[in-house]
Amino acid sequence: MRRLPVFFLLDTSGSMYGEPIQALNNALSGMVNTLRMDPQAMDSLWLSIITFDREVKEVTPLVELANFQLPEITCPQSGPTHTGYALEFLHAKVNSEVRKGTPTQKGDWRPLLFLFTDGKPSDQQLYRKMIPLIKGLNFATIVGCAAGKAADNDMLKELTDTVVHLDTADSATLKQFFKWVSDTIEQGNKSMGTTEQVTLPPPPSEVNLII
């Protein structure tokens, strides 16, 4: 069975401390439970969660959905947002872990990337340096999510054309966003092999697509 790798880059900088990080944990848990109800996702989906604040951490290495265990994600009370460093880390992971096809064996399906942030990169020079390298990894889709008033849509737009904005990072909004993420993953999973790009499902009212 060919794998569909899905990578999550999650901002855990100081501004996420308190209710937002708890809401993020709850929303992620709901998303995983939803995906597990899809037999096709259980067969082919592999998930990885990488968090970034002052440090970048691989919270969950790339693992099949059936064996995926979501740990509690935490964040410091303050500190920078090293999005560029996170992209650098992701670049190395995708290059080493996503299986490429050979003349005798098909590789993984094109991976998906979801980047969630409530701010903007503290390391903008590295962030911009990594953008063409990330785009060169042949993701089937990259979704950037800017949550809250301090989140920078324009910085995410440099990385991907698909940027959504959430007015807040509260529990109800994040739940709706990650429900939409699970719908996107399921749609991407079902369309693999028939189309090059993932067609995004219509977002709920809480998720504003930035044109």
Side-chain angles (χ1 to χ4, degrees):
M1 176 66 72
R2 295 176 72 180
R3 308 185 307 175
L4 173 59
V6 182
F7 293 88
F8 291 91
L9 249 58
L10 305 177
D11 181 348
T12 51
S13 58
S15 52
M16 285 291 292
Y17 186 78
E19 183 189 349
I21 198 68
Q22 190 59 52
L24 181 63
N25 276 292
N26 292 339
L28 282 168
S29 178
M31 179 197 70
V32 171
N33 289 337
T34 299
L35 290 171
R36 282 192 167 134
M37 291 188 284
D38 181 343
Q40 189 171 341
M42 287 292 285
D43 281 343
S44 60
L45 214 58
W46 286 60
L47 305 179
S48 170
I49 293 182
I50 297 165
T51 62
F52 59 97
D53 41 72
R54 178 180 286 105
E55 300 176 347
V56 174
K57 298 173 187 168
E58 187 179 36
V59 176
T60 309
L62 193 64
V63 65
E64 58 189 323
L65 179 60
N67 292 327
F68 181 85
Q69 292 187 331
L70 182 68
E72 183 175 3
I73 294 172
T74 60
C75 66
Q77 293 189 31
S78 62
T81 306
H82 284 159
T83 320
Y85 181 21
L87 291 180
E88 187 176 53
F89 185 90
L90 171 72
H91 184 264
K93 283 290 170 185
V94 171
N95 273 327
S96 65
E97 295 182 1
V98 174
R99 298 170 185 162
K100 296 176 175 62
T102 68
T104 57
Q105 188 172 1
K106 291 182 176 179
D108 290 336
W109 297 114
R110 292 171 65 197
L112 312 180
L113 171 60
F114 296 89
L115 192 161
F116 173 90
T117 181
D118 72 337
K120 60 183 178 182
S122 304
D123 52 352
Q124 291 187 16
Q125 187 173 353
L126 179 57
Y127 175 79
R128 288 195 163 109
K129 175 187 171 186
M130 291 308 303
I131 285 173
L133 298 176
I134 295 297
K135 288 182 175 180
L137 290 175
N138 200 30
F139 282 101
T141 194
I142 299 175
V143 175
C145 176
K149 294 177 181 176
D152 192 327
N153 298 331
D154 293 336
M155 292 295 289
L156 286 176
K157 271 288 191 181
E158 293 181 29
L159 175 66
T160 175
D161 290 333
T162 307
V163 174
V164 297
H165 190 93
L166 312 179
D167 290 337
T168 65
D170 63 18
S171 184
T173 303
L174 289 189
K175 182 179 179 182
Q176 288 300 316
F177 170 67
F178 279 99
K179 172 65 173 68
W180 178 74
V181 168
S182 66
D183 291 344
T184 302
I185 292 171
E186 288 178 348
Q187 190 145 323
N189 198 23
K190 289 175 173 59
S191 66
M192 288 299 157
T194 60
T195 178
E196 282 293 298
Q197 298 294 330
V198 175
T199 303
L200 299 175
S205 59
E206 295 88 347
V207 178
N208 305 303
L209 196 59
I210 305 299
I211 306 300

